[in-house]
Amino acid sequence: MEKAYSVKTTGKVAAVFIATSVSILMVGVLTPLWVHLPQKWLVVYTPAAGYSGVFFYPTLAWAVLWAGLYFTLGRKESVGTVKRWMTVFLASLIVATAIIMASLPWMPFPW
Amino acid sequence: MLVSRPLTATKTILFLIIGITTIVSVGMVILGHLVDKKIESAMILHDFFTAFAIMSGAGVIGVLVFSSQRHHDAVNVIRMLSIAAAVSVFVILITGTIGYVEYRLSDPDSAKSKIKATFPYAHSPMFETMEYMGLLGTMWAGLIAYLAWHYKEQMFTNPAIKNMMVALISLAIMYALFISLMGIVPTKIASVQG
């Protein structure tokens, strides 16, 4: 099983994993920033307030980073393994989820 | 001379995806304008595409795990479903933002005001959890769609890639169900209305 997950990934796959992981982390960082320390620059679309920035900046970063890395790493036949990129993605997801949940008042429970 | 071509599973799914989503989307927008319920129609589309994205993900897992078809057909079905899910997630965010603008009005009749007066916990943290965690969906669905287009038949022939796809999609469905629950509770107290 260990060997199976050591399958090499191409530069194109590495590019999309890196771009996605970074943008997911950005959502995790920008959420508490808007909730606890509202910044004007996060208001991209006034009717939606800071929510628009928390959506806009990570999505923009995802697209730009993916395009940039696609052209930088795209020709490489081997950049990491399936196991490595899944670990990076899951780590970014866990960290972002933990930050978002911690920044919202889940405790104490309402009962 | 006309040559009749068989209606394969791939073509049937393609026609159904395009047909149903187009009819429902156009129908709801027209209906919303006719009865002057634009926000409500956007929210119905929001719910429709949420269910559609989750079902598309479940469909991909079903094809990956249980397909007995030729790999070429199965790959095409997965590619279509993954693109449909990625587009759906984007539509969910757009319609969600339309509803959010209405929701957050400081008006005492707004959904947010009613929810905060009835059960504040349903707004913060529950509704806010749905708002912010839902933003992870676009990138995540984009990642899955790209991997489906990139790996093609390797999704069936390489166990590591197949397991990676099943894990990414299963987890995405679990997240989507949790996020949906966080949105369902507040809207049972007061739905977003124009």
Side-chain angles (χ1 to χ4, degrees):
Chain A
M1 187 59 79
E2 177 69 26
K3 207 173 180 182
Y5 280 93
S6 301
V7 170
K8 301 269 186 211
T9 52
T10 61
K12 289 176 182 172
V13 171
V16 68
F17 266 109
I18 295 169
T20 306
S21 303
V22 170
S23 55
I24 281 176
L25 278 176
M26 276 182 76
V27 174
V29 171
L30 293 181
T31 298
L33 198 63
W34 172 251
V35 173
H36 298 292
L37 299 163
Q39 308 284 316
K40 245 184 179 175
W41 56 269
L42 276 172
V43 183
V44 177
Y45 174 58
T46 312
Y51 177 74
S52 57
V54 182
F55 170 45
F56 177 73
Y57 291 112
T59 309
L60 180 70
W62 178 60
V64 172
L65 204 57
W66 187 1
L69 288 168
Y70 189 90
F71 288 109
T72 313
L73 301 174
R75 287 183 183 176
K76 298 198 175 184
E77 285 185 12
S78 173
V79 181
T81 59
V82 164
K83 187 179 179 182
R84 178 188 293 179
W85 295 121
M86 274 299 280
T87 307
V88 169
F89 173 78
L90 291 175
S92 71
L93 189 66
I94 291 167
V95 170
T97 303
I99 295 173
I100 293 171
M101 297 299 261
S103 66
L104 299 174
W106 277 95
M107 295 291 174
F109 287 123
W111 54 82
Chain B
M1 197 173 86
L2 283 174
V3 179
S4 66
R5 290 179 181 172
L7 190 62
T8 60
T10 313
K11 282 183 193 167
T12 308
I13 291 173
L14 180 66
F15 292 144
L16 282 174
I17 288 173
I18 296 173
I20 291 174
T21 53
T22 305
I23 290 168
V24 171
S25 302
V26 173
M28 284 317 303
V29 171
I30 292 172
L31 197 61
H33 275 79
L34 285 177
V35 297
D36 198 23
K37 294 281 183 187
K38 298 179 190 73
I39 298 293
E40 287 80 351
S41 67
M43 290 299 94
I44 290 170
L45 284 177
H46 184 70
D47 296 346
F48 170 75
F49 279 101
T50 302
F52 188 78
I54 292 172
M55 286 171 67
S56 300
V60 172
I61 291 179
V63 176
L64 269 175
V65 176
F66 301 113
S67 177
S68 58
Q69 288 191 34
R70 283 184 301 125
H71 286 164
H72 179 72
D73 289 340
V75 167
N76 283 339
V77 169
I78 290 176
R79 284 168 143 193
M80 281 185 296
L81 289 174
S82 61
I83 290 288
V87 173
S88 297
V89 173
F90 197 74
V91 175
I92 291 165
L93 277 176
I94 299 296
T95 50
T97 305
I98 293 170
Y100 177 68
V101 169
E102 197 77 25
Y103 169 85
R104 66 183 293 272
L105 294 174
S106 51
D107 182 330
D109 286 332
S110 74
K112 183 179 172 180
S113 305
K114 287 178 187 170
I115 291 167
K116 286 181 93 168
T118 312
F119 180 47
Y121 202 73
H123 166 70
S124 183
M126 294 183 86
F127 194 89
E128 289 186 332
T129 299
M130 179 199 69
E131 285 170 33
Y132 296 110
M133 292 222 347
L135 295 176
L136 306 177
T138 36
M139 287 82 85
W140 196 340
L143 169 73
I144 291 168
Y146 177 77
L147 292 175
W149 278 81
H150 180 82
Y151 279 121
K152 302 179 187 129
E153 303 223 345
Q154 283 189 71
M155 286 185 290
F156 292 94
T157 56
N158 189 323
I161 291 166
K162 182 178 182 175
N163 290 340
M164 173 183 73
M165 293 298 289
V166 171
L168 279 173
I169 298 166
S170 309
L171 198 55
I173 291 175
M174 290 299 140
Y175 258 67
L177 290 174
F178 173 71
I179 293 165
S180 300
L181 177 69
M182 292 299 104
I184 288 167
V185 175
T187 50
K188 288 295 172 197
I189 298 169
S191 60
V192 178
Q193 294 177 339

